[in-house]
Amino acid sequence: MGNLGWGKKDKSPTDGFSDKEVGKTCVGCEAGQEPLSDMDLDGVIMGRKDGACAPLTKKNEALTRATIQGAKEQAFTSNSNCCKGKHPPDGVADKTIVYVNGIRTQQGGHCQTLQDVADTTCAKVIGVYNATRNSVADLWQAKQDKSWIKKHAADAEKDAPDEEPRMSPKGRNPAVDTLRDMIYAEASSDQEMEIFAHSQGGAITSVALYEAEKQLAGAGMEENMSKVSVTSMGSAAQQWPDGPEYTHLIHARDFTPVKLGLRKSAKKDASRAGKGAKVVRFVGEPGGGSFKEMEPGDDTGGTSFTKYHDVDQTYLKAQSQFNNGCRGKS
């Protein structure tokens, strides 16, 4: 099965970590050990270490505030003149973005997007890696993520504080576990957290937010969800919890958000996009020209699995254009 567009497929034969075949790396492994596969790194925090993309945590590692802070200090940054002009002298904005990728994304693709986000936003950028196994397994996992969104949304509507909160099984999706723990650790410490999420990464983020919200509510700190801001890009998530600050970017011809996520119509945004969310539906061609926000009467045409779904050529380009970012500027 080919790339269904729910992620970013490597275009080169190497993975961005080493000269080994795509999907394997010896970054962080001990002498004599086998190279780490994509699945070995499922759910780890990724960043830049010793000048190269590298895992900053181990799979299933229990996260602490110190671990998260250490990861932030090994983030991707931009050295573009555009960023230096906006944020002198070093070009780095005083914030960290956590990026969560979609399906069919190998290590090198994830790392490249971390740099792309840094070059677009001028922020420090680390990632929660959502590893790929194969198309069928990735799609099945994404379907499970969406099922858990539905369960959590139903729980939120019931508002039954005396019941034990339902949580997705630990290890079902390691990226959910990591992101949930990061959100809880940051929000419970009264720290702001910014997330960029693409495709299945949006569904992962929605599940993690619902579960972190339940944990914060149990600690009497539910209002701290307002410390979290999310930019979703072509997201597969059909619903989001209230509390965080949201911007949802949806290309009107991108199959994933139009058919699986918040849809093309804005009719249900108030109940599904998160309270106060900004939902930007837009049109335009990824290959050239510019995007514009969709207006009534725009002939958007049919959807495509892949053409309008690329995180860099469609969504980061649109995010930069709508926010006067530095993407594509030297």
Side-chain angles (χ1 to χ4, degrees):
M1 184 180 293
N3 182 358
L4 298 180
W6 276 27
K8 185 170 183 177
K9 182 77 171 175
D10 279 348
K11 297 178 181 178
S12 66
T14 58
D15 63 10
F17 289 81
S18 66
D19 59 359
K20 294 180 173 60
E21 65 182 10
V22 168
K24 294 194 175 182
T25 175
C26 256
V27 171
C29 67
E30 301 297 332
Q33 287 185 337
E34 287 295 315
L36 299 174
S37 70
D38 285 338
M39 296 307 298
D40 290 329
L41 298 178
D42 199 8
V44 306
I45 299 176
M46 302 292 293
R48 192 169 183 85
K49 185 177 181 180
D50 298 327
C53 189
L56 305 179
T57 57
K58 295 180 180 179
K59 186 174 181 178
N60 300 324
E61 178 181 342
L63 297 182
T64 65
R65 280 278 299 129
T67 304
I68 297 168
Q69 187 58 40
K72 290 180 179 181
E73 293 171 0
Q74 299 180 86
F76 277 76
T77 58
S78 177
N79 63 359
S80 73
N81 290 328
C82 177
C83 285
K84 290 177 181 177
K86 287 177 176 287
H87 304 282
D90 60 1
V92 181
D94 186 23
K95 66 176 182 178
T96 300
I97 292 173
V98 178
Y99 171 71
V100 190
N101 62 273
I103 75 166
R104 294 282 293 163
T105 302
Q106 295 169 320
Q107 299 164 20
H110 180 80
C111 292
Q112 181 59 56
T113 303
L114 298 184
Q115 186 63 63
D116 292 342
V117 174
D119 289 337
T120 298
T121 64
C122 306
K124 293 174 282 187
V125 182
I126 56 177
V128 172
Y129 180 48
N130 170 36
T132 181
R133 186 186 298 272
N134 57 58
S135 293
V136 173
D138 289 359
L139 287 167
W140 174 248
Q141 186 186 61
K143 182 178 179 180
Q144 290 181 314
D145 292 332
K146 288 175 62 62
S147 176
W148 273 101
I149 293 172
K150 185 176 180 180
K151 292 174 184 177
H152 289 321
D155 289 347
E157 289 181 4
K158 285 193 303 185
D159 191 23
D162 294 333
E163 295 183 9
E164 185 71 20
R166 286 194 291 182
M167 305 287 275
S168 60
K170 187 173 177 60
R172 179 198 65 81
N173 187 332
V176 168
D177 298 338
T178 298
L179 189 61
R180 177 190 62 231
D181 292 349
M182 291 180 76
I183 294 167
Y184 178 78
E186 294 288 81
S188 63
S189 300
D190 210 32
Q191 300 296 308
E192 294 184 351
M193 181 174 180
E194 184 168 357
I195 302 168
F196 274 33
H198 177 243
S199 194
Q200 185 201 0
I204 288 168
T205 301
S206 179
V207 176
L209 287 166
Y210 273 114
E211 296 187 357
E213 179 185 41
K214 291 179 180 182
Q215 292 176 320
L216 288 166
M221 295 184 290
E222 188 174 4
E223 70 280 358
N224 282 23
M225 286 293 286
S226 63
K227 296 289 184 180
V228 184
S229 62
V230 178
T231 297
S232 78
M233 302 176 286
S235 169
Q238 74 274 29
Q239 194 157 346
W240 300 81
D242 293 340
E245 178 182 340
Y246 293 108
T247 299
H248 301 296
L249 299 177
I250 298 172
H251 193 291
R253 298 190 66 183
D254 181 4
F255 177 90
T256 298
V258 168
K259 300 297 185 182
L260 304 175
L262 291 176
R263 311 287 173 150
K264 185 182 292 188
S265 170
K267 291 180 180 178
K268 295 185 178 181
D269 284 352
S271 61
R272 294 171 52 189
K275 187 176 181 179
K278 179 180 181 181
V279 184
V280 181
R281 293 174 174 85
F282 63 97
V283 294
E285 294 300 310
S290 61
F291 296 113
K292 73 179 187 75
E293 292 192 39
M294 191 172 71
E295 299 175 357
D298 278 345
D299 181 12
T300 60
T303 60
S304 167
F305 280 109
T306 58
K307 183 177 180 180
Y308 303 97
H309 193 60
D310 186 83
V311 63
D312 181 47
Q313 293 302 312
T314 296
Y315 285 101
L316 288 179
K317 178 181 176 182
Q319 197 278 342
S320 184
Q321 179 186 318
F322 295 146
N323 294 278
N324 191 29
C326 280
R327 182 194 179 279
K329 300 176 183 178
S330 61

